[in-house]
């Protein structure tokens, strides 16, 4: 009798779990329905296209179809790694993103620190509104404005001419000008929007920490360095990990809208090279192989940065 009771109590576990799950689904059905569009988006746009990775191992011909195209193994990977554009695209991709990390990543932090010290709420709201506005302008319009500002006689061209004492035509026609234009236009476009998360983190800092620092004789800079920055350090580190994880993924839309054959030496990155080879030259398999290499390197950078951060700061994303 005891053995029968013990067996029945063990077997009732899964049944009770299913009953609890069924009850929870019925009770919170509306909340679960809200998850469905998100799951569908990831399934359709993130996981379903992953089968296309196999194109990088085939010599894909649209007329032959996926199944009829010849399997070539690692041929496209070898062609890219030994090709004439490998070092140029890798170098340009890394340089543009290093510029972005050095200037674009730190600028929102600096803006948030400065806004956090502003006492006038009216002035603070005006500054925030002005810095947020470029983020909501279409990228096409942004690039059109950049072309106007940097053309011969444009405001930026005239400014550069005045500083350097030389005459320039369109600044986008000089390869050494592309990185500064790309980087600082990106800062202008996103600095306000990117600072929101840091301002949110600062709003949760205990005011008692600032009061204690004032009692110890700390000024604004001291409080900023010893109170504000340490308190938002986890947020900075997490965003930095994500930023390093995207080092090989430059915004190809903006680059394609701004670059030209005269600036390929500094502007042609992996994403724009994939665009030209894949869509303009119809080398689908080769472009897929190059994109796969970029994705693998991005994942490795993310994993390494996360591991280093976990070891030395105990802050990580996984």
């Amino acid at each position: 009798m005891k053995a029968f009771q013990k067996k029945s109590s063990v077997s009732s576990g899964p049944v009770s779990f299913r009953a609890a799950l069924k009850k929870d689904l019925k009770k919170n059905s509306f909340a679960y329905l809200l998850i469905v569009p998100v799951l569908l988006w990831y399934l359709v746009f993130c996981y379903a296209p992953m089968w296309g990775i196999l194109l990088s191992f085939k010599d894909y011909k649209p007329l032959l179809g996926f199944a009829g195209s010849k399997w070539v193994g690692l041929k496209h990977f070898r062609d890219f790694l030994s090709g004439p554009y490998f070092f140029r695209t890798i170098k340009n991709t890394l340089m543009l993103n290093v510029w972005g990390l050095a200037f674009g990543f730190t600028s929102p932090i600096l803006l948030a620190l400065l806004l956090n010290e502003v006492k006038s709420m009216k002035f603070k709201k005006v500054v925030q509104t002005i810095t947020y506005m470029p983020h909501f302008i279409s990228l096409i319009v942004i690039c059109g404005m950049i072309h106007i500002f940097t053309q011969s006689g444009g405001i930026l061209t005239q400014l550069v001419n005045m500083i350097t004492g030389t005459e320039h035509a369109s600044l986008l026609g000089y390869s050494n000008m592309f990185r500064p234009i790309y980087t600082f236009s990106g800062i202008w476009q996103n600095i306000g929007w990117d600072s929101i998360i840091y301002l949110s983190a600062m709003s949760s800092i205990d005011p008692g920490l600032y009061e204690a620092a004032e009692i110890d004789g700390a000024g604004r800079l001291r409080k900023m360095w010893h109170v504000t920055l340490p308190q938002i350090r986890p947020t900075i580190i997490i965003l930095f990990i994500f930023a390093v994880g995207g080092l090989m993924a430059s915004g190809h839309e903006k680059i394609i809208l701004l670059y030209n054959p005269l600036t390929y030496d500094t502007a042609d990155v992996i994403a724009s090279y994939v665009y030209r080879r894949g869509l303009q030259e119809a080398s689908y398999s080769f472009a897929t192989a190059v994109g796969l290499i970029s994705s693998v390197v991005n994942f490795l950078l993310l994993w390494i940065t996360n591991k280093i951060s976990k070891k030395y700061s105990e802050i990580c994303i996984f």
Side-chain angles (χ1 to χ4, degrees), residues 214-246:
E214 286 181 3
I215 293 173
D216 291 338
R220 284 193 172 188
L221 289 177
R222 288 284 185 179
K223 287 188 291 184
M224 194 183 297
W225 184 259
H226 294 288
V227 178
T228 307
L229 281 175
Q231 291 297 310
I232 66 171
R233 187 170 68 103
T235 303
I236 295 174
I237 291 176
I238 292 297
L239 293 178
F240 181 77
I241 292 172
F242 282 117
V244 174

Side-chain angles (χ1 to χ4, degrees), residues 6-274:
K6 185 176 180 181
K7 183 178 179 181
S8 62
S9 64
V10 172
S11 61
S12 65
V15 176
S16 61
F17 173 76
R18 287 195 295 269
L21 180 61
K22 185 177 180 180
K23 183 179 179 181
D24 186 64
L25 287 172
K26 186 177 180 181
K27 182 180 179 181
N28 303 300
S29 57
F30 184 73
Y32 285 109
L33 283 175
L34 293 176
I35 304 175
V36 172
V38 179
L39 292 176
L40 288 176
W41 188 89
Y42 275 100
L43 288 173
V44 173
F45 294 103
C46 295
Y47 289 99
M50 288 183 70
W51 70 271
I53 292 175
L54 294 175
L55 286 179
S56 59
F57 303 98
K58 285 176 168 283
D59 186 14
Y60 178 69
K61 304 293 183 184
L63 294 178
L64 297 177
F66 180 80
S69 298
K70 182 181 177 182
W71 184 273
V72 294
L74 300 176
K75 176 181 179 297
H76 299 300
F77 296 93
R78 290 193 296 267
D79 290 345
F80 174 65
L81 295 175
S82 60
Y85 300 112
F86 171 71
F87 287 105
R88 187 181 76 177
T89 54
I90 293 294
K91 176 187 174 182
N92 292 341
T93 304
L94 289 176
M95 287 300 296
L96 277 179
N97 283 283
V98 167
W99 276 58
L101 278 179
F103 300 104
F105 182 79
T106 55
S107 296
I109 301 173
L110 180 60
L111 177 63
L113 289 171
L114 295 175
L115 288 175
N116 191 52
E117 296 298 321
V118 174
K119 302 301 181 184
S120 173
M121 292 302 298
K122 185 177 181 179
F123 178 76
K124 185 176 181 179
K125 289 180 180 179
V126 170
V127 173
Q128 286 179 298
T129 302
I130 293 173
T131 55
Y132 293 170
M133 286 175 62
H135 177 79
F136 299 98
I137 301 176
S138 168
L139 182 61
I140 298 293
V141 177
I142 290 286
C143 293
M145 293 170 65
I146 294 172
H147 277 283
I148 293 172
F149 294 155
T150 58
Q151 68 183 0
S152 180
I155 185 172
L156 289 180
T157 305
Q158 292 181 14
L159 181 62
V160 171
N161 291 343
M162 184 175 61
I163 294 173
T164 60
T166 57
E167 289 294 327
H168 292 84
S170 174
L171 295 181
L172 289 175
Y174 299 90
S175 59
N176 62 330
M177 291 289 184
F178 185 85
R179 287 171 188 159
I181 292 172
Y182 178 87
T183 302
F184 291 107
S185 63
I187 294 173
W188 167 68
Q189 185 180 4
N190 297 311
I191 185 172
W193 183 259
D194 292 343
S195 67
I196 293 176
I197 191 169
Y198 300 111
L199 288 170
S200 301
M202 292 174 190
S203 65
S204 63
I205 299 175
D206 184 4
L209 296 174
Y210 292 109
E211 295 173 3
E214 286 181 3
I215 293 173
D216 291 338
R220 284 193 172 188
L221 289 177
R222 288 284 185 179
K223 287 188 291 184
M224 194 183 297
W225 184 259
H226 294 288
V227 178
T228 307
L229 281 175
Q231 291 297 310
I232 66 171
R233 187 170 68 103
T235 303
I236 295 174
I237 291 176
I238 292 297
L239 293 178
F240 181 77
I241 292 172
F242 282 117
V244 174
L247 273 178
M248 301 299 290
S250 301
H252 64 281
E253 299 95 345
K254 185 178 178 182
I255 292 175
I256 291 169
L257 291 170
L258 292 179
Y259 80 160
N260 57 72
L262 295 175
T263 58
Y264 278 175
D265 287 342
T266 57
D268 192 23
V269 297
I270 289 179
S272 60
Y273 183 61
V274 168

